[in-house]
Amino acid sequence: MNQTDNKPTPSTAGSFAAVRELFDNYVIPTYGRFDLAFSHGSGSYLYGVDGRRYLDLGSGIATCALGHAHPEIAETLAQQSQRLVHVSNFYYTEPQGRLAQALAGLLGPGKVFCCNSGAEANEGLFKLGRKFGHDEGRFEILTATNSFHGRTLAGISATGQEKVKKGFEPMVAGFRHVAFNDLEAARAAVSPATVAILIEGIQGEGGITPATPDYLLGLRALCDEKKLLFFMDGVQCGHFRTGRFQSFQRILEGVPGGERFLPDGVAMAKSLGGGFPIGAFWVRAPYADLLGPGTHASTFGGTPLACAVALKVLAIIERDHLADNARHLGAWLKGELARLAAAHPRVISNVRGLGLMLGVELAEKIPAFAGNAKAASLQFVNRLHDLGVLTIPSGAQVVRLLPALNLTREQAEEGLEAIEKVVKAAAC
Ligand SMILES: Cc1ncc(COP(=O)(O)O)c(C=O)c1O
């Protein structure tokens, strides 16, 4: 199948209003959606139901790692679906075993549990922590302010942002938040009930803030000293987005002691299936059998179909050197965005991130945005929509670029050109 042969489905072609009406009438309105409906995609391009083409620099929030409608993923889905889609986890299947082997090979000695989403992967880590400390009455997990760990009840309890908790109190007991990148705050927060610390290597929803090397190494030492498990949420920042499999591997490159660093658990999802739903968590060897038979399960966790796709995504990333592409193209893009920020400090105040996980922080009070009640990030993203480019807002001030790992230089230039136009117009 040729990636450019994709055509809109006739049922929705040209009718945003018809799709919107279906949502208004039948879909629970939990999302603030943009006025865009897509019918199909090809590589880093998405096509609206009206036929308009968009350059996708969001990739489903760091999910479609190989872009849209990748022919080899489509072929893997077709082939595996004709062989075996699902059997209960009462039984063994080879793809799940091979995916677990591959993920452990990328992290370190340990084992993997397969699930379906990032929230579910984190839930598994929460249960692992509770099991670890259970006999000593320890259960508390420290997480960071501005973090994001999913929308289940435990997920919003773990998330260090008030907006996700509001209206759903009381929270699940046993989560406390401490300032990110502040080792002393973490040390001071450890109580006799504390059992684990969970952080993102790069906070995604919180505005693209990488952990510092000292923080990572310091938390590892603190966890060893206090007998705590050290968990990392790699759901958004993982899967080669930074140029290495996990962001901590990239952050600690060249840092003395960095090569020996390993957390005790890592949550994965999003890019793991390249758009097909799958999550997983890896547990370091000493703790890998703590969750024994009967302690944890998921009907759809690790189906042969999902695991075959995830294995194919990994194989393509490796074969096509996409980690290097993320590293080098990301560095170039970041440099260009920094140049833009230097030229227009009244519009862009900062550019952050690693590889193809970049955050453009907008300046406070951009005059051209005044008089519009919408957050600056939304206004910026909307203006890019008008130019045919998709990006992801993060809070009120940050616009995220999380494109497919196989984005080309030409596509990055196309996106940059649009961003430059929006910045220049806003600077007037
Ligand atoms: C860091 C992080 N953890 C967890 C999640 C939740 O993942 P999911 O939406 O697959 O449950 C997200 C989603 O954005 C995330 O960014």
Side-chain angles (χ1 to χ4, degrees), residues 61 116-122 147-152 200 202-205 233-237 267 269-270 278 400:
I61 318 187
N116 303 283
S117 67
E120 201 186 343
N122 283 325
S147 60
F148 185 83
H149 299 297
R151 293 286 194 154
T152 57
E200 294 157 86
I202 303 176
Q203 291 191 328
E205 301 302 305
D233 181 341
V235 168
Q236 190 168 142
C237 57
K270 289 191 179 280
I278 179 169
R400 275 177 288 176

Short mmCIF file of all heavy atoms in Angstrom, two decimals, residues 61 116-122 147-152 200 202-205 233-237 267 269-270 278 400, ligand 1:
data_model
loop_
_atom_site.label_atom_id
_atom_site.label_comp_id
_atom_site.label_asym_id
_atom_site.label_seq_id
_atom_site.Cartn_x
_atom_site.Cartn_y
_atom_site.Cartn_z
N ILE A 61 -0.37 13.38 20.34
CA ILE A 61 0.36 13.61 21.60
C ILE A 61 1.42 12.52 21.78
O ILE A 61 1.31 11.64 22.65
CB ILE A 61 -0.55 13.72 22.85
CG1 ILE A 61 -1.80 14.55 22.55
CG2 ILE A 61 0.24 14.33 24.02
CD1 ILE A 61 -2.67 14.86 23.74
N ASN A 116 -2.76 -1.55 28.57
CA ASN A 116 -3.38 -0.89 27.41
C ASN A 116 -3.18 0.61 27.31
O ASN A 116 -3.54 1.20 26.30
CB ASN A 116 -4.88 -1.15 27.41
CG ASN A 116 -5.17 -2.63 27.40
OD1 ASN A 116 -5.06 -3.28 26.37
ND2 ASN A 116 -5.50 -3.18 28.56
N SER A 117 -2.70 1.23 28.35
CA SER A 117 -2.61 2.70 28.32
C SER A 117 -1.56 3.16 29.32
O SER A 117 -1.08 2.37 30.15
CB SER A 117 -3.95 3.32 28.69
OG SER A 117 -4.24 3.05 30.05
N GLY A 118 -1.29 4.45 29.27
CA GLY A 118 -0.32 5.02 30.21
C GLY A 118 -0.84 5.01 31.63
O GLY A 118 -0.11 4.70 32.58
N ALA A 119 -2.12 5.35 31.78
CA ALA A 119 -2.70 5.37 33.12
C ALA A 119 -2.63 3.97 33.74
O ALA A 119 -2.28 3.81 34.92
CB ALA A 119 -4.15 5.84 33.05
N GLU A 120 -2.89 2.97 32.92
CA GLU A 120 -2.88 1.60 33.43
C GLU A 120 -1.45 1.15 33.76
O GLU A 120 -1.24 0.38 34.71
CB GLU A 120 -3.52 0.69 32.38
CG GLU A 120 -4.04 -0.62 32.94
CD GLU A 120 -4.53 -1.57 31.84
OE1 GLU A 120 -4.77 -1.15 30.70
OE2 GLU A 120 -4.65 -2.76 32.16
N ALA A 121 -0.50 1.62 32.98
CA ALA A 121 0.90 1.28 33.28
C ALA A 121 1.30 1.88 34.63
O ALA A 121 1.92 1.21 35.47
CB ALA A 121 1.81 1.80 32.17
N ASN A 122 0.91 3.14 34.86
CA ASN A 122 1.23 3.76 36.15
C ASN A 122 0.49 3.07 37.30
O ASN A 122 1.06 2.88 38.37
CB ASN A 122 0.87 5.25 36.12
CG ASN A 122 1.91 6.07 35.36
OD1 ASN A 122 3.10 5.76 35.40
ND2 ASN A 122 1.47 7.08 34.64
N SER A 147 3.25 17.39 37.47
CA SER A 147 3.36 16.11 36.78
C SER A 147 2.01 15.74 36.16
O SER A 147 0.98 16.36 36.46
CB SER A 147 3.78 15.02 37.76
OG SER A 147 2.82 14.89 38.80
N PHE A 148 2.03 14.72 35.31
CA PHE A 148 0.79 14.14 34.80
C PHE A 148 0.96 12.64 34.69
O PHE A 148 1.93 12.16 34.09
CB PHE A 148 0.43 14.72 33.43
CG PHE A 148 -0.91 14.22 32.94
CD1 PHE A 148 -2.09 14.82 33.36
CD2 PHE A 148 -0.99 13.11 32.09
CE1 PHE A 148 -3.33 14.34 32.93
CE2 PHE A 148 -2.23 12.64 31.67
CZ PHE A 148 -3.39 13.25 32.09
N HIS A 149 0.01 11.89 35.28
CA HIS A 149 0.17 10.43 35.28
C HIS A 149 -1.10 9.70 34.87
O HIS A 149 -1.21 8.49 35.12
CB HIS A 149 0.64 9.97 36.66
CG HIS A 149 1.97 10.55 37.05
ND1 HIS A 149 3.13 10.30 36.35
CD2 HIS A 149 2.33 11.42 38.04
CE1 HIS A 149 4.15 10.96 36.90
NE2 HIS A 149 3.68 11.66 37.92
N GLY A 150 -2.07 10.38 34.28
CA GLY A 150 -3.25 9.68 33.78
C GLY A 150 -4.53 10.10 34.47
O GLY A 150 -4.51 10.82 35.47
N ARG A 151 -5.65 9.61 33.94
CA ARG A 151 -6.96 10.12 34.35
C ARG A 151 -7.79 9.14 35.16
O ARG A 151 -8.97 9.39 35.40
CB ARG A 151 -7.74 10.54 33.11
CG ARG A 151 -7.15 11.75 32.41
CD ARG A 151 -7.40 13.03 33.19
NE ARG A 151 -7.12 14.19 32.35
CZ ARG A 151 -7.67 15.37 32.52
NH1 ARG A 151 -8.53 15.57 33.49
NH2 ARG A 151 -7.36 16.36 31.73
N THR A 152 -7.24 7.99 35.52
CA THR A 152 -7.96 7.13 36.46
C THR A 152 -7.93 7.80 37.82
O THR A 152 -7.21 8.79 38.02
CB THR A 152 -7.26 5.77 36.57
OG1 THR A 152 -5.91 6.01 36.96
CG2 THR A 152 -7.29 5.01 35.25
N GLU A 200 8.33 11.99 35.92
CA GLU A 200 8.57 11.91 34.47
C GLU A 200 10.00 12.39 34.21
O GLU A 200 10.45 13.36 34.84
CB GLU A 200 7.63 12.86 33.73
CG GLU A 200 6.16 12.49 33.80
CD GLU A 200 5.28 13.72 33.55
OE1 GLU A 200 4.99 14.05 32.40
OE2 GLU A 200 4.89 14.37 34.55
N ILE A 202 10.91 13.85 31.49
CA ILE A 202 10.60 15.20 30.99
C ILE A 202 9.10 15.39 31.22
O ILE A 202 8.30 14.62 30.69
CB ILE A 202 10.89 15.36 29.48
CG1 ILE A 202 12.35 15.03 29.16
CG2 ILE A 202 10.55 16.78 29.01
CD1 ILE A 202 12.69 15.07 27.67
N GLN A 203 8.74 16.37 32.01
CA GLN A 203 7.31 16.61 32.23
C GLN A 203 6.69 17.07 30.92
O GLN A 203 7.15 18.05 30.32
CB GLN A 203 7.11 17.67 33.32
CG GLN A 203 7.51 17.16 34.70
CD GLN A 203 7.06 18.10 35.82
OE1 GLN A 203 7.00 19.32 35.62
NE2 GLN A 203 6.78 17.53 36.98
N GLY A 204 5.67 16.36 30.49
CA GLY A 204 5.04 16.66 29.20
C GLY A 204 3.87 17.61 29.34
O GLY A 204 3.93 18.75 28.90
N GLU A 205 2.81 17.13 29.99
CA GLU A 205 1.63 17.98 30.18
C GLU A 205 1.98 19.21 31.00
O GLU A 205 1.32 20.24 30.92
CB GLU A 205 0.51 17.20 30.87
CG GLU A 205 0.05 15.95 30.13
CD GLU A 205 -0.45 16.23 28.74
OE1 GLU A 205 -1.36 17.06 28.61
OE2 GLU A 205 0.07 15.63 27.79
N ASP A 233 7.89 7.64 34.82
CA ASP A 233 6.79 7.63 33.87
C ASP A 233 7.35 8.05 32.52
O ASP A 233 7.60 9.24 32.28
CB ASP A 233 5.69 8.59 34.35
CG ASP A 233 4.49 8.62 33.42
OD1 ASP A 233 4.63 8.21 32.25
OD2 ASP A 233 3.40 9.05 33.86
N GLY A 234 7.56 7.06 31.66
CA GLY A 234 8.11 7.35 30.32
C GLY A 234 7.05 7.34 29.24
O GLY A 234 7.36 7.17 28.06
N VAL A 235 5.79 7.53 29.66
CA VAL A 235 4.68 7.39 28.72
C VAL A 235 4.80 8.39 27.56
O VAL A 235 4.63 8.02 26.40
CB VAL A 235 3.33 7.55 29.47
CG1 VAL A 235 2.17 7.72 28.50
CG2 VAL A 235 3.11 6.35 30.38
N GLN A 236 5.09 9.65 27.89
CA GLN A 236 5.17 10.66 26.83
C GLN A 236 6.61 10.87 26.35
O GLN A 236 6.86 11.04 25.16
CB GLN A 236 4.58 12.00 27.32
CG GLN A 236 4.42 13.01 26.23
CD GLN A 236 3.59 14.22 26.63
OE1 GLN A 236 3.88 15.33 26.23
NE2 GLN A 236 2.52 14.04 27.39
N CYS A 237 7.56 10.85 27.28
CA CYS A 237 8.94 11.22 26.91
C CYS A 237 9.77 10.01 26.48
O CYS A 237 10.92 10.18 26.06
CB CYS A 237 9.61 11.95 28.07
SG CYS A 237 9.65 11.03 29.61
N ALA A 267 7.07 3.20 33.35
CA ALA A 267 5.77 3.09 32.67
C ALA A 267 5.91 3.53 31.23
O ALA A 267 6.59 4.52 30.93
CB ALA A 267 4.74 3.97 33.38
N ALA A 269 3.72 3.70 27.22
CA ALA A 269 2.47 3.58 26.43
C ALA A 269 2.67 4.43 25.17
O ALA A 269 3.76 4.41 24.59
CB ALA A 269 1.25 4.02 27.24
N LYS A 270 1.66 5.16 24.79
CA LYS A 270 1.72 6.08 23.63
C LYS A 270 2.49 5.49 22.43
O LYS A 270 1.97 4.61 21.76
CB LYS A 270 2.29 7.42 24.07
CG LYS A 270 1.31 8.24 24.94
CD LYS A 270 1.79 9.65 25.12
CE LYS A 270 0.83 10.49 25.95
NZ LYS A 270 -0.31 11.00 25.23
N ILE A 278 -1.52 0.18 23.41
CA ILE A 278 -0.78 -0.76 24.26
C ILE A 278 0.03 0.04 25.27
O ILE A 278 0.56 1.12 24.94
CB ILE A 278 0.13 -1.72 23.45
CG1 ILE A 278 0.89 -2.66 24.40
CG2 ILE A 278 1.07 -0.98 22.52
CD1 ILE A 278 1.61 -3.82 23.73
N ARG A 400 3.49 22.58 22.37
CA ARG A 400 4.39 21.43 22.26
C ARG A 400 4.52 20.94 20.82
O ARG A 400 3.55 20.87 20.10
CB ARG A 400 3.83 20.26 23.07
CG ARG A 400 4.19 20.26 24.51
CD ARG A 400 3.53 19.10 25.21
NE ARG A 400 2.09 19.30 25.36
CZ ARG A 400 1.25 18.40 25.88
NH1 ARG A 400 1.72 17.22 26.27
NH2 ARG A 400 -0.02 18.65 26.00
C1 LIG B 1 3.45 11.29 31.30
C2 LIG B 1 2.11 10.66 31.09
N1 LIG B 1 1.72 9.65 31.88
C3 LIG B 1 0.55 9.05 31.72
C4 LIG B 1 -0.33 9.46 30.75
C5 LIG B 1 -1.65 8.78 30.60
O1 LIG B 1 -1.62 7.97 29.45
P1 LIG B 1 -2.98 7.43 28.85
O2 LIG B 1 -3.72 8.61 28.31
O3 LIG B 1 -2.54 6.46 27.79
O4 LIG B 1 -3.72 6.77 29.96
C6 LIG B 1 0.03 10.52 29.90
C7 LIG B 1 -0.90 11.00 28.86
O5 LIG B 1 -0.78 12.06 28.32
C8 LIG B 1 1.28 11.13 30.07
O6 LIG B 1 1.67 12.15 29.30
#
